Amino acid sequence: MGNISKKKREQLLEFLNKLREEHEDDEVLFSINKIESELTSIKYGLVWEEHEERVDKEIETKVPVFTEIKEREISSNGSLPYNFLLEGDNLHSLYLLEKTHKNKIDVIYIDPPYNRGKDDFIYDDNYVDEEDAFKHSKWLSFMSKRLNIAYKLLNSEGVIFISIDDNEMAQLKMLCDSIFGESNCIGVIIQNKMNSKNDALNIQKNHEYILVYRKQANYIDNKEKPTLISDSYKVKKIYQEGEKYYYLNDPITTRGEGGELNARPNLGYTVYFNPVTNDKIAVCDYDVELAKVSNDEKAIYKDDKNIISKGYIPIRPPRVRGKLGAWTWELDKFNRDKHLIVITENKRTKSYSVKKRTFVDKNEVYSKDGKLYYNFYGRGNSKSIIEFSTNDGTKELNRVLGEKGKFNNPKNLEMIKYLIRLFPKRDALVLDFFAGSGTTGQAVLELNKSDGGNRRFILCTNNQNNICEEVTYKRLKNVIEGYKFQGNKETVLYEKSLDIDDLYNMESIIETVDQIEERSRQNFTRIIKKLEGNVLKIVGQDIVEEKVEGIPANLKYYKTDYIEKFDQNENYNIREELLKHIVEMVQLEHGVKIDNKEYIIILSDNEVDKLEHEKEKLKKCKTIYLSSQVLLTKKQEKLFDDFDIDLVNIPDYYFEYELREVGEI
C-alpha cells in the first residue's frame, strides 16, 4: 500500500469499525481484518505521513502568477539573454516553471534545508524542531513535491546535484531513487568542509554529501574513466614538462567593452619577451592617465629602448573592437607568476599571444592518437571526494556585499563552479530553487567569463529577513555591475627553498628573517611568515581598496503573486487578470525582454492591425509573440516574413488548466 496521510488512515480505520458493526458474516469480517492489518502494518521502504503546505491550500482558490519588479531589472549587454531571480515560495515558482521550462533545464543544483531540528527548516511558517514527531515526514513531503517537479523540468541530458548532510541523507537517497530511478544515480560526492566540529561522541562532523542524479542513463555516464567527447572545448590539449602536465588557457585578456584599456587603464603594461632566452618581464611604459581617454597607441606608449636593445620584443594587449586592450593580470602579479606564462607566436600574422599554464593531475591525463588530453568538463570525471572550505563561502559573500553577517553558511563559490563545469555544455540553463545568497548565479557568471560560455541561470528563493532583496539581488547586481572591496595586497619580501643543509644553519636563517621583518614592519600593515611545502616566505601585507570589474549580464526580478479563481464582483474576468501576467511568462520561457521594439507581444487583432502600418517599428523587430486568439491575414503573414520576423505562438498551456477549472474554456 502506498503512502497515505495519517488523517486518511484514521478515517479508513473508523470506516472499517463501522463495517464490523454492520456485518456478522465471518468471510466479510476476515476481509475487514486483513484490510486493517495492511493499513497498520509497518512496511520496508520509504513510507511517511504526507503533510499539506500552505501553498497547496492557496492554489485551491487561487492561480499562482509572477509579477515583474521592473525597477530591479539589470541590463548591461543588450545582445545577451536574460537570467531570472524569482522571489517567493519555491513551490509556487516551480509550479509556474513547469509551464515554461518542462524538459528544458540542463543543470539543477540545490542546497535544501538539512532538517537539523534547529532553525534551518520552516514548514508551514513554523520551524521544525527536534521534538517534532513528524520531523522527517514533513521534510520528505516538502522535498518530494519539489523533486517531482524538478524531474519534469530536467531535459533528457539533464543532471541534478543536491547538497545534504547526515540528518536526511539516507531518506533523500531513497526518495531520489524513487523519483529519478536507482539506475540514474551517478553517485555521491563527499565534500570535506575543511573545518570540523565534534559532537557529544567526539566523532568529527567535517563532511557533507552531494547526491548526483541524471535524467536518463544514456546521456550522463558514471564510468570512472574519462570519456573523450570531442576535440573541441570539452577537452584540453596537454603539454608535458618533465613530470608535470599542463594546458594553455586563452590569452590573459577579456573580450568586450570590459577589456578595453579605457575601462582598465592600470592594466595596459607592455610585456617584453626575449624569444632566445624565453624570458619575459612586464613594464609600465605608458601614460596611465592618457589611457583613460585616448586610443592613440603612439601617444600613450613609449618603448623602453634599453630593454629592446637586449633582444626583447614588446607585446601589448590585443585590441578589443578596434580599441586598445588591457590585460586581466596586474603588473605585479605578472612578474611574480611569470613562470606560469607561455608566449606563443603566430607565424602567419607575426603576432604573439600571452597565455597562462594550468597544471593538472597526471592521473587525469589520457592519450588518444598519440596526443595527450585532459577531459576538462568530462562526464563521469568528477572526484568522489572534494575539499571546499565552508568559510570561503562566507568570505566571498562578505567581499561581494561589502558587509558581514547578512547570510549564514553560504555555499563555496568554487565548489558550485566545479559542479556546473562537470556538465559539458557551455550554454547550459542552470536552476537553483534553494538559491539562498545567490552563489549559483555568481558561479554561472564567473564560468562564462572564464571560458566564454553562454550559460544562464534561474534562481528561486524566499524573502525571509529580506534575503532576496538585500543579499541575493544585491550580490548579483554587484557581480554584474562591479564593486569595490577592501582586500589584502601581499608583497613577497623573502623566499627560500629549504633543504637538509638548512637544518644546520637555522640560526642564520632566523636572524635574516628577523632583520627583514624589523626593517619592513613600518611599510606594511602586518608581516606574515609562512611555510608552503619546503619554501619559507616572508610576506608584507597591506589592506587596499580594490575595484572588481563587472561581468556583463542581464537579470529580471519577479515576485510570486496570486489571482483569485472566483470573485464576488460580477465584472471580474479571470482571463483578463491572467493576461496581465502573460508578459512575465513569455520573458521567462524565452529569456528575453518584451521591449516593444525587438521583442513584441500581440494579444488582440486590433494590436496586430495597428502594427501592420508601423514600418519603422517592424524594421527593428526580431520576434513577435502572438496570442492564440489572434488570427493573421495572409497579407500580415507575408509582411512579417518580408521583414524576417520570427512569429512565436504564446502557448495555451500557461493557464489553460486553470481556465478550464473555472469554466472559462
Side-chain angles (χ1 to χ4, degrees):
M1 183 172 292
N3 292 317
I4 60 174
S5 69
K6 179 183 179 183
K7 183 177 180 181
K8 186 175 290 186
R9 180 181 286 108
E10 290 173 348
Q11 290 174 342
L12 290 172
L13 290 173
E14 184 179 349
F15 176 70
L16 291 177
N17 286 330
K18 289 182 178 179
L19 288 178
R20 281 198 187 93
E21 295 173 359
E22 297 172 2
H23 294 277
E24 296 181 353
D25 183 88
D26 288 341
E27 189 171 329
V28 172
L29 291 174
F30 176 81
S31 298
I32 292 173
N33 291 337
K34 189 173 182 180
I35 295 171
E36 183 180 44
S37 177
E38 286 292 317
L39 282 171
T40 57
S41 64
I42 298 175
K43 302 289 185 181
Y44 171 77
L46 194 60
V47 179
W48 72 90
E49 304 284 356
E50 290 187 351
H51 293 263
E52 193 173 51
E53 294 180 55
R54 172 176 47 81
V55 178
D56 295 313
K57 300 171 187 174
E58 287 174 333
I59 62 174
E60 292 178 3
T61 59
K62 302 175 182 179
V63 180
V65 294
F66 285 127
T67 298
E68 180 178 357
I69 310 301
K70 294 186 178 180
E71 60 268 25
R72 291 186 187 151
E73 177 186 335
I74 301 172
S75 180
S76 65
N77 188 321
S79 64
L80 295 175
Y82 274 79
N83 303 283
F84 290 84
L85 175 57
L86 312 178
E87 177 200 318
D89 190 296
N90 60 6
L91 187 56
H92 183 147
S93 295
L94 287 169
Y95 281 148
L96 291 170
L97 283 170
E98 189 177 354
K99 298 173 182 292
T100 60
H101 285 79
K102 190 174 182 179
N103 299 319
K104 293 181 181 179
I105 302 294
D106 295 294
V107 177
I108 297 176
Y109 170 79
I110 56 172
D111 180 29
Y114 288 177
N115 202 17
R116 290 168 172 158
K118 297 178 181 178
D119 58 357
D120 69 315
F121 177 38
I122 297 177
Y123 193 85
D124 245 6
D125 301 325
N126 294 307
Y127 285 109
V128 177
D129 61 32
E130 289 182 302
E131 305 304 318
D132 193 319
F134 297 101
K135 171 185 172 183
H136 295 293
S137 292
K138 288 179 179 178
W139 191 87
L140 284 166
S141 293
F142 175 85
M143 289 300 297
S144 65
K145 294 169 187 172
R146 288 155 178 81
L147 290 176
N148 272 297
I149 298 177
Y151 177 82
K152 297 173 185 176
L153 294 179
L154 283 175
N155 63 35
S156 57
E157 301 181 21
V159 62
I160 183 170
F161 301 94
I162 310 172
S163 287
I164 200 66
D165 73 356
D166 295 307
N167 289 282
E168 298 290 356
M169 169 60 182
Q171 292 89 316
L172 179 62
K173 175 67 169 62
M174 295 179 71
L175 178 63
C176 288
D177 283 349
S178 67
I179 294 173
F180 296 94
E182 188 174 358
S183 63
N184 285 325
C185 179
I186 296 177
V188 180
I189 299 173
I190 300 173
Q191 180 203 350
N192 187 341
K193 298 187 293 184
M194 299 169 64
N195 55 336
S196 59
K197 294 182 180 179
N198 294 343
D199 64 11
L201 298 176
N202 294 318
I203 298 175
Q204 286 192 339
K205 299 277 188 175
N206 64 342
H207 62 270
E208 293 177 355
Y209 311 95
I210 302 171
L211 276 174
V212 189
Y213 282 80
R214 58 197 167 193
K215 180 73 174 279
Q216 289 185 16
N218 57 320
Y219 283 103
I220 307 293
D221 65 50
N222 60 352
K223 296 177 182 178
E224 292 183 3
K225 184 178 178 181
T227 303
L228 181 63
I229 301 169
S230 73
D231 292 326
S232 60
Y233 69 84
K234 297 171 185 174
V235 295
K236 294 288 186 182
K237 183 179 178 181
I238 292 296
Y239 301 87
Q240 186 173 359
E241 181 179 277
E243 293 297 314
K244 296 181 178 180
Y245 297 84
Y246 67 90
Y247 63 84
L248 291 180
N249 275 354
D250 293 333
I252 55 170
T253 53
T254 301
R255 304 170 187 170
E257 294 178 359
E260 294 173 8
L261 183 59
N262 296 154
R264 297 182 170 189
N266 294 322
L267 298 176
Y269 55 82
T270 299
V271 175
Y272 288 86
F273 172 59
N274 189 321
V276 177
T277 64
N278 204 35
D279 186 37
K280 66 280 267 183
I281 183 172
V283 177
C284 183
D285 59 356
Y286 68 108
D287 187 328
V288 176
E289 291 302 313
L290 186 58
K292 296 178 181 179
V293 295
S294 174
N295 274 287
D296 186 343
E297 183 173 355
K298 291 183 179 180
I300 295 173
Y301 285 89
K302 185 177 181 180
D303 287 339
D304 192 319
K305 298 189 183 302
N306 181 46
I307 297 179
I308 292 176
S309 68
K310 298 177 183 178
Y312 287 79
I313 299 168
I315 304 172
R316 298 197 171 103
R319 288 179 172 266
V320 177
R321 299 177 179 178
K323 296 182 179 180
L324 295 178
W327 305 108
T328 55
W329 283 19
E330 293 180 347
L331 185 145
D332 289 345
K333 175 177 174 59
F334 184 98
N335 287 328
R336 183 177 67 247
D337 296 334
K338 63 182 182 180
H339 61 284
L340 296 176
I341 293 294
V342 172
I343 296 179
T344 60
E345 181 183 8
N346 187 318
K347 300 291 186 182
R348 183 176 59 83
T349 61
K350 303 296 182 183
S351 60
Y352 292 87
S353 292
V354 181
K355 299 181 178 181
K356 173 183 173 292
R357 293 193 296 178
T358 298
F359 291 92
V360 300
D361 187 343
K362 67 178 182 180
N363 294 321
E364 296 179 353
V365 173
Y366 59 99
S367 177
K368 179 179 172 63
D369 299 329
K371 297 180 181 180
L372 297 175
Y373 290 94
Y374 173 70
N375 198 347
F376 189 68
Y377 295 94
R379 298 175 176 179
N381 197 30
S382 60
K383 300 176 181 178
S384 59
I385 300 178
I386 55 178
E387 290 191 353
F388 291 103
S389 170
T390 52
N391 291 336
D392 288 346
T394 301
K395 291 177 183 177
E396 176 63 21
L397 179 61
N398 294 344
R399 186 175 78 102
V400 177
L401 293 182
E403 54 185 322
K404 298 179 180 179
K406 297 294 290 186
F407 188 85
N408 295 326
N409 302 316
K411 280 301 173 186
N412 185 292
L413 176 65
E414 294 303 318
M415 184 189 79
I416 306 300
K417 289 163 68 173
Y418 168 81
L419 296 176
I420 296 173
R421 201 162 47 220
L422 292 175
F423 189 82
K425 291 185 177 180
R426 290 194 294 180
D427 61 350
L429 180 55
V430 181
L431 169 66
D432 183 346
F433 52 89
F434 288 97
S437 69
T439 307
T440 300
Q442 182 178 348
V444 167
L445 295 176
E446 290 197 3
L447 282 176
N448 286 344
K449 179 182 178 181
S450 67
D451 64 15
N454 296 299
R455 302 172 188 85
R456 290 189 295 126
F457 64 79
I458 299 173
L459 305 185
C460 312
T461 186
N462 60 35
N463 198 33
Q464 182 187 357
N465 299 322
N466 297 320
I467 289 171
C468 191
E469 297 176 32
E470 297 179 5
V471 179
T472 322
Y473 175 72
K474 183 179 178 181
R475 180 182 198 168
L476 297 174
K477 181 179 175 67
N478 285 355
V479 172
I480 293 171
E481 297 182 348
Y483 58 94
K484 291 182 179 179
F485 79 101
Q486 282 193 337
N488 295 321
K489 182 177 182 180
E490 295 187 345
T491 303
V492 177
L493 305 175
Y494 176 78
E495 186 174 1
K496 179 175 177 57
S497 296
L498 302 177
D499 55 33
I500 191 67
D501 293 333
D502 291 316
L503 294 176
Y504 302 100
N505 194 32
M506 287 307 296
E507 288 187 7
S508 175
I509 294 174
I510 292 172
E511 183 179 349
T512 300
V513 169
D514 289 341
Q515 289 175 356
I516 293 173
E517 185 175 7
E518 184 64 30
R519 187 171 63 244
S520 306
R521 190 178 301 280
Q522 62 184 7
N523 298 321
F524 297 93
T525 305
R526 62 174 178 163
I527 306 296
I528 301 172
K529 296 184 286 266
K530 53 186 177 181
L531 188 65
E532 298 177 350
N534 68 325
V535 178
L536 173 65
K537 287 185 179 182
I538 304 176
V539 177
Q541 191 177 83
D542 276 325
I543 297 176
V544 296
E545 187 173 87
E546 298 185 21
K547 176 73 166 68
V548 176
E549 297 294 330
I551 303 174
N554 300 324
L555 177 75
K556 282 190 172 292
Y557 188 115
Y558 287 1
K559 290 185 74 169
T560 55
D561 205 347
Y562 284 108
I563 296 297
E564 296 289 341
K565 290 183 179 178
F566 304 97
D567 195 281
Q568 299 299 321
N569 188 340
E570 61 180 15
N571 295 321
Y572 181 77
N573 187 317
I574 186 174
R575 183 186 292 275
E576 290 181 2
E577 293 300 316
L578 289 173
L579 279 177
K580 295 176 183 177
H581 299 272
I582 285 292
V583 169
E584 282 88 347
M585 300 295 279
V586 172
Q587 290 179 152
L588 179 61
E589 178 167 8
H590 298 280
V592 301
K593 175 182 179 179
I594 301 299
D595 55 5
N596 206 31
K597 295 176 183 177
E598 292 185 340
Y599 300 97
I600 298 173
I601 190 166
I602 298 293
L603 300 177
S604 69
D605 290 335
N606 289 337
E607 290 178 10
V608 77
D609 292 341
K610 181 181 177 182
L611 180 63
E612 180 182 352
H613 302 288
E614 298 182 55
K615 298 297 190 294
E616 291 302 315
K617 196 171 186 178
L618 292 175
K619 288 179 182 178
K620 300 176 183 178
C621 183
K622 292 181 179 178
T623 305
I624 295 176
Y625 297 93
L626 289 166
S627 167
S628 59
Q629 306 298 313
V630 175
L631 297 176
L632 297 181
T633 65
K634 293 291 184 183
K635 178 183 176 183
Q636 289 168 342
E637 289 180 355
K638 184 178 185 307
L639 176 66
F640 297 147
D641 185 57
D642 290 342
F643 278 98
D644 197 26
I645 297 173
D646 289 331
L647 300 178
V648 178
N649 289 323
I650 299 173
D652 291 330
Y653 57 68
Y654 283 162
F655 298 113
E656 182 181 27
Y657 172 81
E658 290 81 359
L659 290 173
R660 288 188 183 280
E661 190 179 23
V662 298
E664 288 289 322
I665 297 181

